[in-house]
Amino acid sequence: MVVRDDAGEDVLTGTIPADSVDPGEVAKFTRLAAEWWDPNGKFRPLHEFNPVRLKFIRAAAAAHFGRDESLKPFQGLRLLDIGCGGGLLSEPMARIGFTVLGVDPSEKNVKTASAHAADSGLTLDYRAATAEVLAAEGTTFDVILNMEVVEHVADLGGFLRACAALLKPGGFMLVATLNRTLKSLALAKIGVEYVLRWLPAGTHDWNRFVTPAELQGFLQNAGLSVTCVQGVSFDPLRWEWRLSSDTDVNYMVMAEKRGA
C-alpha cells in the first residue's frame, strides 16, 4: 500500500493493510517518524504527557495483578503496545519487566523504535503489523496499551474487537483518547495545533474524537468489562499533566476480560 505526500513522495510503502487502518492517518505519523524521540520536536506533547500515563499504567497493573513495587514487578507478563509509534511507551514498559511487543502499521515507525531500543540496550520486539493480523495468528497478551490510537482508526468497532481477541482472560486493556466536546475542539484541536502549535496542523480530526460513553459501548460490545474511566488534565501553572475527574478533553478507560 502506498500513500504519497504533497511532494509526490511515497510515505507509506510497506504499511500492513487491515480494515481498521486509515492509510491517510498512518501517513501523518510516518512522515514524522524521525522525530519520535526528540523531546522538543513534533512529539513534545507526548513526552510531557508520558509521566502521568506511565504512573497510571504501573499503578493499574500492580493493583490488577497483585504485584509489588519492586524494580521489575511485571516479569512473566506479556504486554502489547498497539500503535506503538516510536516506542515512547514500549521502552518504559520493558524496563519494569513486561515482555513487550510494540506493533505499528508503519514500517518506518517500527524501524525508528527498533533502532532506539537497540541504542538503549533494551530487549523488546517490534513488528509492522495490525491488531487484525495478530488476532488471526491467535496470539494473546496480559496487557494491551491502546494509547492515542482509536481516534485515528477507520473502523473503531472492528479494531476494538480485534484488540479484545488479543487479550487473555483476566487481562486488561487501557485505552487513552480525546473526548468529542466543544472544550476539546477549543483546546486539543484549535489551541494545540493552531495557537500553541504543539502539534502539526491537521494531526487530529475533531469529528473522530470519541466520547467516554461511545468508547465504553464499543468495549462492552467487544466482550470487555469497563472498570475505570480516568480523566487527565493539563495544569498550566505547574506546566504538567495530572490525573483528574475532568474527562472533557483527555481521558483513559480501563477494561478487563473476565474469566480468569
Side-chain angles (χ1 to χ4, degrees), residues 45-103:
L46 283 182
H47 284 271
E48 294 180 344
F49 195 29
N50 242 11
V52 70
R53 61 181 184 171
L54 288 173
K55 183 177 180 180
F56 182 80
I57 294 166
R58 180 168 182 145
H64 186 82
F65 294 108
R67 300 297 175 101
D68 57 24
E69 291 298 318
S70 61
L71 184 62
K72 292 188 175 183
F74 304 114
Q75 288 183 326
L77 296 175
R78 297 190 72 206
L79 180 144
L80 171 66
D81 184 7
I82 192 79
C84 65
L88 300 188
L89 280 176
S90 297
E91 288 197 12
M93 291 299 101
R95 288 192 177 97
I96 56 177
F98 283 109
T99 299
V100 176
L101 173 62
V103 168

Side-chain angles (χ1 to χ4, degrees), residues 5 44-45 59 116-118 132 140 142 224 235:
D5 62 16
R44 177 182 173 184
H116 193 274
E132 290 87 349
T140 55
D142 299 285
L224 303 183
D235 184 343

